[in-house]
Amino acid sequence: MLIHNDSEQKPVQHTTIEFLEIIMHLKEGIAVLRDGRFEYANPAFMNMTGYDWDTLADMDLPAPFPADEHEAIMRSHDAARRTGKPSDPHELWIETPSGMLRIEMSMTLLHSGEPAPVLVTIVDVTPKRRRMDEIRKLSDRLQSILHSMHDVVVSLSAEDATVLSINPAAELLYGIPLRNLGEAAESDLIALAHPEDQEKVRDFYHSIVSKEFDELEYRIVRSDGTVGGITRSISQQ
């Protein structure tokens, strides 16, 4: 059993003291539950949840966390006890005295004593979540710009040359449904070129490995059989 208060600790081995000292200084929040009741919590856990030890000691899981997360938290707890396997990480927002905090919670069964305690780990992922939200916003803005453009913009995978993204202007240019173009590969785009231009288009695509930017003017054959001319610029990202 891990004891929170130094004054309450019984004599322990030197290695156990070192272990407790490490836990006390971890940035990750660590708590131990037995039968769903808090038996230990390190300072990081108390700082993140906003509860001191006297308050936590009188609480059962999932009381320290938002009510709308209680069901999911208890599912993770019960699954860890039932299977003996670590739970899948679960992200949630919690309100603290310093503001809203995004944490990642996981639980692991500790095979010591009866009933076996459950180790709860919480990690502050607020900065990561905010960065991801910013990236998502930028991506949404970029997609909005691309969808409003009359020029065709295609992104190809550097690994297998499949289409990662293509904007709606391509459907008007080629006369092919966008969903079909979205499942295409580089070879399919080359096949849309006029037969007499396909070889130079192929060389053009392959040249991007050694060039950062290039342009080529060539003809395409639309789905209705009409021939059109386009200028393609390509860059390596």
Side-chain angles (χ1 to χ4, degrees), residues 46 57 93 109 226:
M46 291 184 280
W93 287 103
L109 187 69
T226 59

Short mmCIF file of all heavy atoms in Angstrom, two decimals, residues 46 57 93 109 226:
data_model
loop_
_atom_site.label_atom_id
_atom_site.label_comp_id
_atom_site.label_asym_id
_atom_site.label_seq_id
_atom_site.Cartn_x
_atom_site.Cartn_y
_atom_site.Cartn_z
N MET A 46 -2.81 15.64 -7.99
CA MET A 46 -3.61 16.60 -7.23
C MET A 46 -3.61 17.98 -7.88
O MET A 46 -4.64 18.66 -7.91
CB MET A 46 -3.08 16.67 -5.79
CG MET A 46 -3.34 15.39 -5.00
SD MET A 46 -2.81 15.49 -3.28
CE MET A 46 -1.06 15.20 -3.45
N ALA A 57 -9.01 11.55 -0.61
CA ALA A 57 -9.08 10.36 0.23
C ALA A 57 -10.51 9.96 0.56
O ALA A 57 -10.79 8.80 0.87
CB ALA A 57 -8.28 10.57 1.51
N TRP A 93 -11.67 16.74 -21.11
CA TRP A 93 -11.43 18.08 -20.56
C TRP A 93 -11.84 18.08 -19.10
O TRP A 93 -12.86 17.52 -18.72
CB TRP A 93 -12.25 19.12 -21.31
CG TRP A 93 -11.76 19.45 -22.68
CD1 TRP A 93 -12.27 19.02 -23.86
CD2 TRP A 93 -10.65 20.29 -23.01
NE1 TRP A 93 -11.55 19.53 -24.92
CE2 TRP A 93 -10.55 20.32 -24.42
CE3 TRP A 93 -9.74 21.03 -22.26
CZ2 TRP A 93 -9.57 21.04 -25.10
CZ3 TRP A 93 -8.75 21.75 -22.92
CH2 TRP A 93 -8.68 21.76 -24.32
N LEU A 109 -4.01 -2.54 -14.11
CA LEU A 109 -4.18 -3.36 -12.91
C LEU A 109 -2.83 -3.70 -12.32
O LEU A 109 -1.92 -4.14 -13.03
CB LEU A 109 -4.94 -4.64 -13.25
CG LEU A 109 -5.35 -5.51 -12.06
CD1 LEU A 109 -6.43 -4.82 -11.24
CD2 LEU A 109 -5.85 -6.88 -12.54
N THR A 226 -13.12 14.96 -76.16
CA THR A 226 -12.56 16.24 -76.61
C THR A 226 -11.14 16.40 -76.07
O THR A 226 -10.79 15.87 -75.01
CB THR A 226 -13.42 17.42 -76.15
OG1 THR A 226 -13.50 17.41 -74.71
CG2 THR A 226 -14.82 17.31 -76.74
#
